[in-house]
Amino acid sequence: MDQLMALQELNFSRCSELKELRTSIGHLMALQELNLSRCSELKELRTSIGHLMALQKLNLSRCFELKELPTSIGHLMALQKLNLSRCSELKELPTSIGQLTTLQELDF
């Protein structure tokens, strides 16, 4: 388990069967990059995503079934890049997105 806690990059790109992430994703405290691009069946992100305090890059491009982001996304104080391109069901961003003071790149 300690090795997972030190994980810095997680790539689930093109996992077309992935529908949700477990709540335990929030335990990956060292995670800096999470790639969920082309997870076309991903329907939601758990609020525990907000516990990823080291996360710098989050790629959700082409997550066609994703309808909303949890408000806890505003807790990602290290987030620099957020890619939401081609998330056709995602109609709006939570207001907490304004708390991301380190965000340099937003693709929506």
Side-chain angles (χ1 to χ4, degrees):
M1 185 69 170
D2 289 337
Q3 290 175 338
L4 282 178
M5 300 291 281
L7 189 67
Q8 294 182 349
E9 186 175 331
L10 189 54
N11 187 348
F12 283 123
S13 179
R14 298 180 188 260
C15 290
S16 59
E17 300 292 318
L18 183 69
K19 294 185 179 184
E20 64 181 295
L21 293 175
R22 294 181 181 242
T23 305
S24 57
I25 190 82
H27 295 141
L28 302 176
M29 302 306 286
L31 194 65
Q32 295 175 8
E33 187 169 342
L34 178 56
N35 187 348
L36 297 167
S37 66
R38 298 178 187 242
C39 293
S40 56
E41 295 295 316
L42 183 67
K43 296 188 184 297
E44 70 174 307
L45 288 180
R46 305 278 180 142
T47 57
S48 61
I49 197 99
H51 296 158
L52 301 176
M53 302 311 282
L55 194 65
Q56 296 173 11
K57 296 177 185 177
L58 177 56
N59 189 345
L60 295 165
S61 66
R62 298 182 188 212
C63 290
F64 300 121
E65 295 295 319
L66 188 64
K67 294 185 185 207
E68 65 182 348
L69 296 177
T71 57
S72 64
I73 199 119
H75 299 159
L76 301 176
M77 291 299 146
L79 195 65
Q80 296 172 9
K81 295 181 181 182
L82 177 57
N83 189 340
L84 300 167
S85 65
R86 297 191 179 173
C87 294
S88 53
E89 290 297 312
L90 187 62
K91 303 299 182 202
E92 63 183 2
L93 299 176
T95 56
S96 62
I97 207 99
Q99 298 170 358
L100 300 176
T101 56
T102 58
L103 192 64
Q104 298 171 5
E105 190 176 315
L106 173 61
D107 193 356
F108 184 59

